[in-house]
Amino acid sequence: MPVPGKAALVLAGATALLGSLIACSPLTAINAVTPASTYLKTEGVAYAGSDNARQQLDVYRPSDTASAPPQGRPVVVFFYGGSWNQGSRKDYAFVGEALASRGVIAVLPDYRLYPEVSYPDFLQDSAQAVAWTLRSLQALGGDPQRVFVMGHSAGAYNAAMMALDARWLDAAGATPAQLRGWIGLAGPYDFLPIENPDVKPVFHFPDSPPDSQPVRHVQASAPPALLIASHQDKLVSATRNTGGLAALLRQHGVPVVETYFDNTSHASLVGSLARPLRFIAPTLDEVSRFIDAPPPRTAGQS
């Protein structure tokens, strides 16, 4: 609900500051006030058998790993956004901290960006990162029955394609059936014809492949989804993308939780995961609730 009076002014200022920080990247200001006591971090793990710096990941494990349940902890592979042109896993330490603080093992990979690569190479990287995570669950202390992919903006697209289009995980030696669910924050799932000039060359405009769109891959076997978006999003249409994909998932009998916030923008939605900005929206609560108790799989799901 809208925040009245003075609180609205505070919110507007915080949102504007966050938007500016994200535009500039890295998010040093947010990460500087993010505690490190809630997690144990492993940095710079190569996940694709190469020495490419863009094919490395960081792992955030809850600091109380000694008290992990016998079956292990839930695991989330988080992909950040940036129009497939920019971004770094190091900028999103606040996401790793947020998830670890709720007892979740967070895996944050980098992936190759344009102009080094274009579609679909960054999806191949994403699939390799997920496959590495699935292979490493025992070493990480993760629960193989509770593995999720998650992303914001372009990263939500990557997560959606991991969950919906089996080509990518199949090629990496894994399968979407190994995912308990997926989480998309302000994701672009249906964006042809492309209007954003930064994104056009990424998807080979004007010859953008129709099957590059997540909405083309919805089927009954898809894992349950949590889709969160902002009514105030001026970059990615929440109605067309989040609303449209949620409707398609339901048509196919796939469980989906669909949530919209009034007080977030495209950028501040992911920022609201950070401790100093959680007053903006209960994004972390929604994500934690879904991870702790995802909807049951339907008959059409393995």
Side-chain angles (χ1 to χ4, degrees):
M1 294 183 63
V3 178
K6 184 176 179 180
L9 295 177
V10 174
L11 174 60
T15 302
L17 174 61
L18 176 66
S20 175
L21 287 169
I22 288 180
C24 294
S25 196
L27 304 176
T28 52
I30 292 176
N31 289 323
V33 293
T34 296
S37 59
T38 57
Y39 61 82
L40 303 173
K41 184 178 181 182
T42 303
E43 298 184 72
V45 179
Y47 62 77
S50 78
D51 57 2
N52 190 319
R54 296 294 312 178
Q55 293 177 315
Q56 296 181 0
L57 57 80
D58 296 341
V59 179
Y60 296 75
R61 292 182 297 149
S63 56
D64 59 341
T65 53
S67 61
Q71 73 273 22
R73 296 189 184 272
V75 179
V76 170
V77 182
F78 175 84
F79 300 103
Y80 53 77
S83 300
W84 304 279
N85 284 270
Q86 60 182 331
S88 169
R89 68 186 190 274
K90 298 183 186 302
D91 293 344
Y92 291 84
F94 68 92
V95 176
E97 189 280 331
L99 293 170
S101 73
R102 298 297 177 94
V104 176
I105 298 169
V107 177
L108 274 63
D110 277 329
Y111 51 94
R112 290 172 296 166
L113 302 170
Y114 184 83
E116 179 184 356
V117 301
S118 57
Y119 172 87
D121 295 339
F122 45 81
L123 292 180
Q124 295 168 354
D125 288 356
S126 299
Q128 289 285 353
V130 174
W132 177 93
T133 302
L134 291 167
R135 293 193 304 269
S136 305
L137 289 174
Q138 185 173 1
L140 295 175
D143 183 351
Q145 302 302 316
R146 294 189 293 167
V147 179
F148 302 80
V149 290
M150 173 181 172
H152 168 252
S153 192
Y157 167 91
N158 292 10
M161 292 296 272
M162 295 303 100
L164 302 178
D165 187 352
R167 290 179 295 173
W168 313 114
L169 284 180
D170 285 350
T175 170
Q178 293 173 271
L179 303 176
R180 183 61 184 86
W182 72 280
I183 301 161
L185 308 180
Y189 312 118
D190 180 17
F191 53 90
L192 296 185
I194 298 171
E195 297 180 358
N196 187 331
D198 292 332
V199 174
K200 284 182 177 182
V202 177
F203 285 88
H204 315 292
F205 182 86
D207 300 315
S208 306
D211 67 356
S212 65
Q213 303 299 285
V215 293
R216 295 293 190 107
H217 301 284
V218 176
Q219 53 188 321
S221 60
L226 168 63
L227 303 180
I228 303 178
S230 304
H231 287 309
Q232 305 302 320
D233 194 327
K234 300 185 184 305
L235 184 62
V236 176
S237 168
T239 301
R240 176 179 178 181
N241 290 274
T242 295
L245 180 59
L248 279 173
L249 289 167
R250 292 193 181 97
Q251 289 173 18
H252 286 77
V254 179
V256 55
V257 178
E258 185 182 1
T259 301
Y260 299 89
F261 296 134
D262 292 328
N263 296 320
T264 54
S265 66
H266 183 79
S268 65
L269 181 60
V270 68
S272 65
L273 293 170
R275 284 183 183 267
L277 297 171
R278 288 177 193 170
F279 70 93
I280 297 176
T283 309
L284 182 57
D285 291 339
E286 293 291 332
V287 169
S288 297
R289 188 176 299 113
F290 181 81
I291 293 171
D292 290 342
R297 293 178 180 271
T298 64
Q301 298 172 313
S302 55

